[in-house]
Amino acid sequence: AQSVTQPDIHITVSEGASLELRCNYSYGATPYLFWYVQSPGQGLQLLLKYFSGDTLVQGIKGFEAEFKRSQSSFNLRKPSVHWSDAAEYFCAVGLRTGTASKLTFGTGTRLQVTL
Amino acid sequence: GAGVSQSPSNKVTEKGKDVELRCDPISGHTALYWYRQSLGQGLEFLIYFQGNSAPDKSGLPSDRFSAERTGGSVSTLTIQRTQQEDSAVYLCASSLAWGTAPSTQYFGPGTRLLVL
């Protein structure tokens, strides 16, 4: 069965600093990978996704992620964090079921941004 | 509507009561999903609909949980004889059907359920 590990439960960075959130997955085939963000009291918003092709994926809000098959990783990065980026971030792998996909999520990383 | 909507936004109930949670997907989205977000279990898949049928119910935790979808649109998740461990945020998502790759799932704001 597929699984996703986010080893960092909580990360604190200063505004303007760079950010990297780690994600490792376990999946037998080529994975479909996603990063979602959840602000307090809100649903999940898709930041970016990887299906195939270029292993460096650009997303919204200045985020990017790099798929590394050899390391089974899909880390999320941002060169300069803004205070509004404070939220919880979830990495997920999609498994095809019928004509849709069900997502298996990591446990999330809560990002705190200090001014 | 512009996005996925869910109602109610919050629900407090007593142990043993039945509850119904509603999800209204994005217009035109044929796939609809229910997930549960709880402190102990994180985010977990419950059930998925394609049209009005539910090909994958593998995540439903017990037979107290059921869901239906009518008219290929609105879905209702029903929890019978609620237990305290059912307390969680129930998230609904919708998407287009799989084409050559997974379609993006768009999530609603969730229903926060508290069972006393």
Side-chain angles (χ1 to χ4, degrees), chain B residues 99-110:
Chain B
T100 56
S103 294
T104 297
Q105 294 183 27
Y106 295 87
F107 283 80

Side-chain angles (χ1 to χ4, degrees), chain B residues 2 4 14 24 26 32 36 49 55 63 79 81 109 113-114:
Chain B
V4 178
E14 294 178 349
D24 202 340
I26 292 172
L32 185 148
R36 181 170 70 173
F49 287 90
D63 58 8
I79 308 173
R81 305 181 303 280
L113 174 66
L114 178 61

